[in-house]
Amino acid sequence: MKTMTTHLKKLALAVAVAGTASASMSSFAAENCPIPENVRVVIGSTSTGGDTYQNSSLVTDYLSKHLDINMKVDAVGAIPAFRALERSPNGNTIMIFHDMAYLGNLYDVNGYGNVFEKFKIGPTIAINPGNAYLVPKDSPYQSIGEIIDAAGNGEEIKVAIQPGGVSEIGFSALKNAVKREYPGKEKNVVAVNTGSQADKNQLLFNDYADVINGSVQANEQYTRLPKSDQKAMRFVWLTARNETIQQANPEGMGETTREDLLEYVTPNASVPMTDDKNFTFDKEFFFVYNKQMDQDIVKCIDKALKEVYAKGEIQKRQKELFFIPNYMPSSEAGKHLEDKMTEYKDIINNIQS
């Protein structure tokens, strides 16, 4: 009996020690990564089929597994997402969005404040390299350079865009290029403002637009059609940097290879921005946080994402979905994105003056 009592005492002591060690480990984890166990990830889109949701879901899945917490993407749209973020200083709600976060403010879109002043900027995670401009396959314009020259020589060029962001920034750059090359002729580049990609496509089908903003993902299928088809299109310009496209998988998208896509970026397709620089635009996705969110949570997410990307698996998945992996920690991402904003602000101001 005495022996059994001794064993029981030893067992109780071992359980107590294990419990203390477990509590200590939990306390250490909480101290170093005080992120809530349940995190809502709002995105600046209401679509669950678009690139924002697709990319956010992928990254969130990897991040939640790495941190062993529950994270769920909620496609609420930009303005509701910003409002939800403002109400969540404790990290229960974080946001993933793209350059529209600051472009909306530059274009005076209702509800968009200065994201760099109102929020904390988190890490970048990926680039969608597919922002594109297309013409009908039977268009007389063979290149973006010919379109610039046509506007400079008095032809009206109607460009279908969705105003106020990623869709419009290329249009602004095009108009700016005409102004630089042919001062006073930029008025010949005319925006046809519309909504969805389907709306922009329809304007091209019906000859109400000469050029449309689209994407490699959404419009590549139309570039395979024969010239006689009313819906047949071809690319004339991708706004992404040459280095960005070079990182895509060799097979590219659909039947358009990476080598094919490189024909539509600088220097093969050039839209002058300054005397010595062509315009480029990479659509980048990044985290946005409440201004008051604990800096330790910021560091925690940075560290976790760094470790996720170090493994290399997420990059393969992103490239399969035609995203370019682009992890940049918060400490670098904020300045990088502000620099982009300043550059594009100059273009917008130039065509408005």
Side-chain angles (χ1 to χ4, degrees):
M1 189 73 178
K2 183 177 180 182
T3 303
M4 184 176 291
T5 303
T6 302
H7 283 315
L8 288 171
K9 285 181 178 178
K10 287 181 178 179
L11 181 61
L13 180 61
V15 170
V17 169
T20 302
S22 177
S24 176
M25 287 175 67
S26 298
S27 173
F28 177 80
E31 182 182 340
N32 286 271
C33 188
I35 191 167
E37 291 185 5
N38 295 290
V39 177
R40 180 189 183 203
V41 183
V42 292
I43 62 173
S45 169
T46 56
S47 169
T48 56
D51 60 343
T52 304
Y53 185 85
Q54 196 173 34
N55 186 44
S56 300
S57 295
L58 178 65
V59 173
T60 295
D61 185 50
Y62 275 89
L63 185 59
S64 63
K65 287 177 182 175
H66 194 78
L67 290 171
D68 193 24
I69 61 173
N70 178 42
M71 302 179 77
K72 183 180 178 183
V73 175
D74 195 357
V76 297
I79 306 307
F82 284 132
R83 288 173 182 161
L85 204 57
E86 288 178 317
R87 297 193 298 267
S88 182
N90 60 0
N92 280 324
T93 299
I94 61 177
M95 182 179 182
I96 295 178
F97 203 19
H98 51 68
D99 301 80
M100 180 68 187
Y102 62 83
L103 288 174
N105 180 244
L106 293 184
Y107 284 115
D108 295 322
V109 178
N110 190 35
Y112 281 80
N114 187 325
V115 69
F116 300 105
E117 293 177 357
K118 296 184 70 174
F119 302 99
K120 284 183 179 179
I121 302 300
T124 62
I125 51 177
I127 296 169
N128 179 347
N131 190 46
Y133 285 80
L134 303 97
V135 297
K137 228 168 200 180
D138 61 359
S139 169
Y141 309 120
Q142 299 303 310
S143 67
I144 195 69
E146 287 189 12
I147 290 170
I148 291 171
D149 290 339
N153 289 317
E155 295 181 39
E156 184 179 78
I157 305 294
K158 299 186 292 295
V159 186
I161 60 170
Q162 184 173 7
V166 170
S167 181
E168 187 170 0
I169 189 62
F171 167 81
S172 297
L174 183 61
K175 199 175 183 76
N176 179 65
V178 173
K179 183 176 182 178
R180 286 184 49 78
E181 303 294 309
Y182 302 93
K185 300 296 185 178
E186 65 275 6
K187 64 180 183 297
N188 292 325
V189 182
V190 179
V192 182
N193 293 330
T194 186
S196 68
Q197 188 61 56
D199 293 336
K200 287 181 276 188
N201 293 346
Q202 196 61 51
L203 287 169
L204 200 70
F205 301 155
N206 296 337
D207 293 326
Y208 293 139
D210 302 297
V211 186
I212 62 168
N213 170 248
S215 71
V216 173
Q217 295 91 326
N219 295 89
E220 191 273 342
Q221 59 183 315
Y222 297 106
T223 66
R224 306 178 211 161
L225 298 174
K227 193 174 182 178
S228 57
D229 194 306
Q230 182 189 10
K231 295 183 178 181
M233 311 175 184
R234 54 184 165 81
F235 296 113
V236 287
W237 182 34
L238 303 185
T239 65
R241 295 174 302 142
N242 187 295
E243 311 90 90
T244 300
I245 298 296
Q246 287 190 34
Q247 294 177 61
N249 287 335
E251 57 269 25
M253 184 78 190
E255 296 179 11
T256 305
T257 67
R258 180 177 63 194
E259 289 304 309
D260 293 331
L261 294 173
L262 285 169
E263 291 299 312
Y264 308 114
V265 297
T266 184
N268 297 316
S270 300
V271 175
M273 183 173 69
T274 65
D275 289 339
D276 56 2
K277 188 175 181 181
N278 288 317
F279 172 87
T280 58
F281 171 74
D282 281 342
K283 183 180 179 182
E284 294 186 78
F285 293 86
F286 53 94
F287 280 76
V288 185
Y289 306 131
N290 181 286
K291 193 80 171 177
Q292 305 305 318
M293 193 178 84
D294 190 339
Q295 192 62 26
D296 284 340
I297 299 179
V298 176
K299 292 176 182 177
C300 166
I301 294 175
D302 272 346
K303 182 175 183 292
L305 281 174
K306 182 179 180 180
E307 291 170 355
V308 165
Y309 277 82
K311 293 178 180 178
E313 184 183 333
I314 192 172
Q315 290 94 320
K316 293 177 183 176
R317 291 287 295 117
Q318 286 177 323
K319 286 191 174 185
E320 287 170 3
L321 298 170
F322 201 64
F323 292 112
I324 304 302
N326 183 45
Y327 169 70
M328 185 186 298
S330 304
S331 57
E332 299 172 27
K335 183 181 185 309
H336 165 69
L337 293 166
E338 276 202 87
D339 287 345
K340 282 179 74 175
M341 180 188 72
T342 300
E343 191 170 67
Y344 300 146
K345 184 178 181 178
D346 289 343
I347 291 173
I348 294 167
N349 288 344
N350 187 45
I351 62 174
Q352 291 175 345
S353 62

